[in-house]
Amino acid sequence: MINEVRMTLRLPEDLRDRLRDHAKSERRSLNSELVYMLEVGLRAAGVGAESPGDDSASPGAE
C-alpha cells in the first residue's frame, strides 16, 4: 500500500485554474495531475525515487 500524506498547497488562482483545466483535458483529477506532473518533473531533473532521508542509497551506508 502506498503511504499518502495530506497537505495544504497555496497557489495563485490563475495557476490553479490552468492546472485544473489541463487535468480535465487529460481526464485526471487535479490531485492526480499534480502528482503526475511532479513525478515527471523530478524524473526530468534526475531525481531518483529514493525517499528524502533514506541513507540506504548513500555511499558508505550499510
Side-chain angles (χ1 to χ4, degrees), residues 3-48:
N3 292 329
E4 294 181 348
V5 177
R6 193 175 280 259
M7 62 183 280
T8 300
L9 177 64
R10 293 188 190 112
L11 297 172
E13 188 174 357
D14 63 323
L15 178 57
R16 190 250 352 243
D17 292 343
R18 288 171 38 215
L19 288 165
R20 185 173 43 202
D21 291 345
H22 183 71
K24 187 175 181 178
S25 74
E26 295 293 321
R27 301 181 62 117
R28 293 186 181 114
S29 68
L30 177 57
N31 185 76
S32 293
E33 186 64 22
L34 288 169
V35 169
Y36 174 78
M37 292 176 102
L38 289 168
E39 288 176 344
V40 167
L42 287 172
R43 205 172 310 123
V47 178

